[in-house]
């Protein structure tokens, strides 16, 4: 059972890989992803109990040194965030489509967690910086009011101030748009 999600984002692939190794050796965590992202970044996501994830992220951040772009730990992570970051979700309800675009990978995960905890919505996908020039985006769905509330909650979360590029809520998206987003 995952209790926390941790992530580091570096602007150097070599230091990112070294930091990933350090993170896995520092604590009993599971590696969810270690990969390149646009603009020469490297991102590492780990999960586990809160204390282990905190220790792992702190170790990775120290190893990353000046190449560290950002890091975060989300305790009590919602299971939907883990599915959406792996693009493994298939929503049942698709009354509206919410899109949150961010400048950083870390802020996308923080927004997704805030959105899913704020309203009864389903995360569709969290796309982390691959082929996006270092940006990220989240797609989510639910009834229109819940989708609007989730997007607004993510947008006003203190942890992501200044990192949101744009948000959109589309009521009753066209069926072809539904197919395009999952």
């Amino acid at each position: 059972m995952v209790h926390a999600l941790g992530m580091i984002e570096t602007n150097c692939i070599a230091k990112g890989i070294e930091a990933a190794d350090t993170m896995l050796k520092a604590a009993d965590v599971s590696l969810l992803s270690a990969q390149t992202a646009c603009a020469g970044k490297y991102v590492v996501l780990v999960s586990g109990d809160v204390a282990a994830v905190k220790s792992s992220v702190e170790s990775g951040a120290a190893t990353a040194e000046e190449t560290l772009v950002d890091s975060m730990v989300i305790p009590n992570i919602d299971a939907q965030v883990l599915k959406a970051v792996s693009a493994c979700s298939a929503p049942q309800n698709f009354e509206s489509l919410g899109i949150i675009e961010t400048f950083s990978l870390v802020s996308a995960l923080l927004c997704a967690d805030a959105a899913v905890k704020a309203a009864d919505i389903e995360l569709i996908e969290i796309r982390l910086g691959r082929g996006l020039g270092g940006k990220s985006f989240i797609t989510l769905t639910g009834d229109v009011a819940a989708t609007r509330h989730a997007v607004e909650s993510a947008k006003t979360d203190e942890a992501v101030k200044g990192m949101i590029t744009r948000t959109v809520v589309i009521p009753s998206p066209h069926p072809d748009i539904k197919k395009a987003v999952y």
Side-chain angles (χ1 to χ4, degrees):
M1 177 192 234
V2 173
H3 300 286
L5 177 71
M7 179 177 175
I8 66 159
E9 179 178 344
T10 69
N11 62 16
C12 175
I13 295 164
K15 287 300 280 183
I17 294 169
E18 181 185 25
D21 183 65
T22 301
M23 291 170 73
L24 295 171
K25 291 175 178 174
D28 184 20
V29 294
S30 296
L31 180 66
L32 298 178
S33 179
Q35 63 188 23
T36 58
C38 279
K41 292 182 178 180
Y42 198 81
V43 120
V44 184
L45 282 113
V46 296
S47 64
D49 72 53
V50 177
V53 169
K54 282 182 181 179
S55 177
S56 176
V57 168
E58 287 171 2
S59 296
T63 298
E65 300 172 324
E66 77 283 351
T67 71
L68 184 70
V69 173
D70 207 350
S71 66
M72 61 100 203
V73 173
I74 302 175
N76 302 315
I77 189 77
D78 191 286
Q80 280 196 65
V81 175
L82 298 175
K83 282 184 179 178
V85 83
S86 302
C88 293
S89 56
Q92 302 302 308
N93 175 14
F94 210 127
E95 292 179 39
S96 65
L97 175 63
I99 305 112
I100 304 167
E101 185 178 335
T102 68
F103 284 116
S104 79
L105 289 69
V106 167
S107 61
L109 288 168
L110 293 168
C111 283
D113 191 60
V116 77
K117 288 177 178 173
D120 184 20
I121 54 98
E122 291 181 78
L123 293 173
I124 300 168
E125 181 181 12
I126 303 167
R127 179 83 52 93
L128 296 175
R130 297 196 78 164
L132 301 170
K135 289 184 178 179
S136 295
F137 70 91
I138 302 119
T139 52
L140 56 99
T141 189
D143 70 52
V144 176
T147 300
R148 287 187 196 281
H149 181 70
V151 167
E152 190 60 32
S153 294
K155 197 163 87 172
T156 58
D157 188 309
E158 271 302 308
V160 297
K161 285 267 193 235
M163 296 306 290
I164 307 286
T165 311
R166 178 85 56 189
T167 63
V168 174
V169 174
I170 304 169
S172 303
H174 188 279
D176 290 347
I177 293 298
K178 292 178 186 179
K179 290 178 196 172
V181 298
Y182 71 86

